[in-house]
């Protein structure tokens, strides 16, 4: 049987006797008694005959997961991720990718060679009969930089870093050892000699004989 309702310190209290027990509505519940049958109307977030049980809020994995540039959040298996619109990428759709990088774009292969770039490292696949990093050499061609580099007057060719140079014997100089070290004119045509005073080439007065 319903006994009474009362208000105390802004809390609605529903007091009823059931099997000699006295109870009330908890957590701000409001007691109503249609047809003398008292029950508690519970506020949001609570349930139970006396509003004594708190309802766990529904968990939304996307609640605080921000997707940029028009992307939207999905959460299969409660793991949030972003579905990005065309033209954007990244785990939050934060990147607008530029044109695709082509490692072979400026890597020239000669003589019909084809550029490949495994692991973004370009190299040339050469057709039959050619070799070299750019297919620039015919197979069988000498790879010796000194093969066709002639040093004059007994000079010897060396090729550090594959760049041929001449080591000249004593008394000679120049890139091909073509100059005498005492020839300040830089070399004179046949039949002429260098004058030390004017540093010019002059015709010898005795072209076929020894001057005395």
């Amino acid at each position: 049987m319903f006994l009474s309702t009362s208000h105390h310190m802004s809390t609605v209290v529903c007091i009823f006797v059931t099997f000699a027990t006295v109870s009330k509505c908890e957590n701000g519940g409001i007691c109503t008694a249609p047809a003398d049958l008292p029950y508690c109307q519970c506020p949001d977030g609570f349930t139970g005959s006396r509003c004594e049980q708190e309802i766990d809020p529904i968990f939304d994995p996307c609640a605080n997961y921000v997707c940029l540039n028009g992307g939207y959040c999905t959460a299969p298996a409660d793991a949030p991720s972003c579905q990005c619109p065309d033209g954007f990428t990244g785990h939050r759709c934060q990147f607008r990718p530029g044109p695709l990088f082509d490692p072979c774009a400026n890597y020239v292969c000669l003589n019909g060679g084809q550029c490949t770039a495994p692991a973004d490292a370009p190299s040339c696949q050469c057709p039959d009969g050619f070799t070299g990093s750019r297919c620039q050499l015919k197979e069988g061609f000498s790879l010796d930089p000194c093969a066709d580099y002639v040093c004059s007057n007994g000079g010897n060719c060396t090729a550090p870093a594959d760049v041929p140079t001449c080591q000249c014997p004593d008394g000679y100089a120049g890139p091909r050892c073509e100059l005498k070290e005492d020839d300040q004119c830089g070399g004179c045509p046949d039949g002429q000699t260098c004058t030390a005073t004017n540093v010019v080439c002059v015709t010898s007065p005795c072209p076929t004989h020894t001057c005395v």
Side-chain angles (χ1 to χ4, degrees):
M1 177 180 176
F2 175 70
L3 294 179
S4 66
T5 61
S6 63
H7 294 270
H8 179 64
M9 295 183 66
S10 300
T11 302
V12 177
V13 179
C14 183
I15 302 175
F16 55 94
V17 176
T18 304
F19 302 107
T21 62
V22 179
S23 302
K24 63 179 181 178
C25 298
E26 301 176 8
N27 297 306
I30 299 174
C31 177
T32 63
D36 290 337
L37 296 174
Y39 74 93
C40 294
Q41 287 185 336
C42 301
D44 291 340
F46 294 91
T47 189
S49 61
R50 296 176 183 82
C51 307
E52 74 276 12
Q53 297 177 0
E54 184 175 0
I55 301 173
D56 291 334
I58 298 174
F59 172 66
D60 181 5
C62 286
N64 297 310
Y65 198 88
V66 178
C67 298
L68 304 175
N69 297 307
Y72 62 91
C73 177
T74 61
D78 289 340
S81 62
C82 290
Q83 295 285 332
C84 301
D86 292 341
F88 293 91
T89 186
H91 67 284
R92 298 296 181 104
C93 307
Q94 72 272 34
F95 297 126
R96 185 194 295 271
L100 294 177
F101 170 66
D102 182 5
C104 285
N106 297 310
Y107 198 86
V108 179
C109 298
L110 304 176
N111 298 306
Q114 298 293 325
C115 177
T116 61
D120 290 340
S123 62
C124 291
Q125 288 186 338
C126 301
D128 292 342
F130 291 91
T131 186
S133 61
R134 301 296 182 103
C135 307
Q136 73 274 25
L137 302 174
K138 287 186 177 181
E139 289 184 347
F141 180 81
S142 175
L143 297 180
D144 182 5
C146 287
D148 298 314
Y149 198 86
V150 178
C151 298
S152 302
N153 298 304
N156 293 317
C157 177
T158 61
D162 290 337
V163 178
T165 58
C166 289
Q167 288 185 337
C168 301
D170 292 341
Y172 292 91
R176 300 295 184 104
C177 307
E178 71 275 18
L179 301 175
K180 289 185 177 181
E181 288 184 342
D182 59 355
D183 186 353
Q184 301 181 47
C185 295
C188 291
D190 291 341
Q192 293 187 354
T193 58
C194 181
T195 62
T197 53
N198 297 323
V199 193
V200 294
C201 293
V202 297
T203 301
S204 173
C206 305
T208 58
H209 299 84
T210 301
C211 295
V212 293

